[in-house]
Amino acid sequence: MRRRHFVTAGLTLACAAPFMASAQDFPDKPIKIYQGFAAGGNADTIARVVGAEMTKGLGQPIVVEAQTGAGGTIASGTVARARPDGYTLLLATGGHAVAGALYNKLNYQTVSDFQMVSTVTFFPFLLVVRADSPYKSLSELLSAARSDSRGVSYGTAGIGSTHHLAVELLVRSAKVEMLHVPYRGDAGSVTALLGGEVPMIIAPPTAVMANIKGGKLRALATTGAERWSAMPELPTVAEQGVPGYDVRSWAGLMAPAGTPRPVVERLRAETLKALQVPAVRARLEDMGGEARGSTPEEMTTMVAAEFKRWTALVNDAHIPRQ
């Protein structure tokens, strides 16, 4: 029995040896970061800015590849099925948890098929009206929605987008009715607002700041729990009669489940170093974000909580699954 136990233990160590060696040598070849949205967009830019800085510490190139389609789920599926060796990563966004709630036939599990590495940035959405709008605050707009039996409409980047679910959460929390008008991306909703098709839209700062600064649009609220540092005078949704409301988008790095912990810690350490570089922080702030890293466990808890929240909302609001 002792001899048999010794042989079994020896086989276990032998099987583990390649992973131990790869973790010690990591990385010895280029790393690829997939992201699921258009090249040049927010996710792509974040991956390139942070990846370029991580390359310096890792000593190997980081290649960013856009694998678009199906709300980012194609890229997520690619990474979930990749070899768990740290050479294939996902720059996930808040849409990762939303997609898990909305799509019926994903070929991966939203949380358990991934090893979280670290969050990278968080940013709020802005609720925006035209500069000549009669609504001077979100409270006024919500009051109008309560008094008008036809409701007030709002535009978003599309059905099932994080934008859509964020306003649906607002509607249910404030106990009002509002008509959702989906467009093809943020550009479509901004154009519609400027043209008077809808009285309000929700969008990330990068989509609306130019028109806000140009005097064409006015922000009514920021969706985070705290005021946005770039517009400290702008009140939050929670401050305008919807206590507890907090919706922020985020971006973070994930690896396939089973990636060795030493590899994960190396990637996390380089991510945190990159987020301390002033030029990286400034670039993320220019995009409306706040540079903020995390432990793998903290990120796992956050993604799981987001997935649970959006799944409950999709079910409660009877939003069609795709």
Side-chain angles (χ1 to χ4, degrees):
M1 290 294 293
R2 291 181 181 177
R3 178 179 175 82
R4 187 175 303 168
H5 177 76
F6 175 79
V7 171
T8 302
L11 287 172
T12 302
L13 289 173
C15 292
F19 287 96
M20 296 168 62
S22 64
Q24 291 170 358
D25 298 337
F26 181 85
D28 61 4
K29 62 181 180 180
I31 295 170
K32 181 172 286 189
I33 297 179
Y34 285 93
Q35 63 86 16
F37 303 92
N42 277 6
D44 190 62
T45 301
I46 292 167
R48 292 181 188 280
V49 169
V50 176
E53 192 61 39
M54 290 174 65
T55 291
K56 299 175 183 178
L58 291 169
Q60 291 289 340
I62 290 182
V63 179
V64 177
E65 181 169 327
Q67 196 171 62
T68 62
T73 61
I74 295 175
S76 296
T78 294
V79 174
R81 296 188 302 271
R83 179 178 172 81
D85 54 10
Y87 291 98
T88 305
L89 305 176
L90 175 70
L91 192 286
T93 68
H96 179 80
V98 171
L102 274 174
Y103 285 84
N104 276 323
K105 297 181 180 180
L106 294 178
N107 59 0
Y108 61 85
Q109 297 297 315
T110 302
V111 180
S112 61
D113 280 350
F114 297 89
Q115 167 60 61
M116 313 304 170
V117 177
S118 172
T119 56
V120 171
T121 185
F122 290 82
F123 58 90
F125 291 102
L126 300 179
L127 297 175
V128 183
V129 296
R130 287 191 357 168
D132 60 358
S133 170
Y135 306 121
K136 299 299 189 293
S137 68
L138 178 62
S139 299
E140 291 182 5
L141 187 144
L142 293 176
S143 293
R146 291 190 182 98
S147 62
D148 186 350
S149 60
R150 295 171 299 174
V152 173
S153 63
Y154 68 94
T156 73
I159 295 174
S161 62
T162 308
H163 315 48
H164 176 199
L165 297 193
V167 181
E168 191 62 44
L169 179 64
L170 168 64
V171 164
R172 292 185 169 273
S173 299
K175 296 180 172 58
V176 300
E177 291 187 12
M178 295 176 72
L179 175 65
H180 178 216
V181 183
Y183 293 92
R184 291 179 64 85
D186 289 314
S189 67
V190 171
T191 299
L193 178 61
L194 291 170
E197 293 181 21
V198 288
M200 182 196 81
I201 66 169
I202 180 172
T206 49
V208 294
M209 283 307 296
N211 282 304
I212 290 175
K213 291 178 179 178
K216 296 180 179 180
L217 298 179
R218 181 172 70 249
L220 297 184
T222 178
T223 62
E226 302 168 352
R227 293 196 178 197
W228 183 37
S229 59
M231 297 180 70
E233 74 286 357
L234 182 65
T236 66
V237 170
E239 289 176 303
Q240 299 184 72
V242 192
Y245 185 90
D246 177 18
V247 175
R248 294 165 295 166
S249 194
W250 50 269
L253 288 174
M254 299 179 180
T259 301
R261 187 68 186 210
V263 170
V264 173
E265 289 299 334
R266 179 74 195 283
L267 290 167
R268 174 176 175 266
E270 295 300 334
T271 302
L272 297 184
K273 282 172 57 178
L275 295 180
Q276 294 304 312
V277 175
V280 172
R281 297 180 71 86
R283 185 70 183 92
L284 294 177
E285 288 172 4
D286 287 344
M287 299 172 64
E290 171 196 1
R292 188 191 307 173
S294 71
T295 66
E297 291 74 22
E298 288 169 341
M299 186 175 175
T300 299
T301 298
M302 180 198 72
V303 175
E306 291 263 294
F307 174 55
K308 181 178 180 180
R309 172 167 70 161
W310 296 133
T311 298
L313 180 64
V314 166
N315 292 336
D316 188 50
H318 304 291
I319 296 173
R321 295 180 182 274
Q322 301 178 37

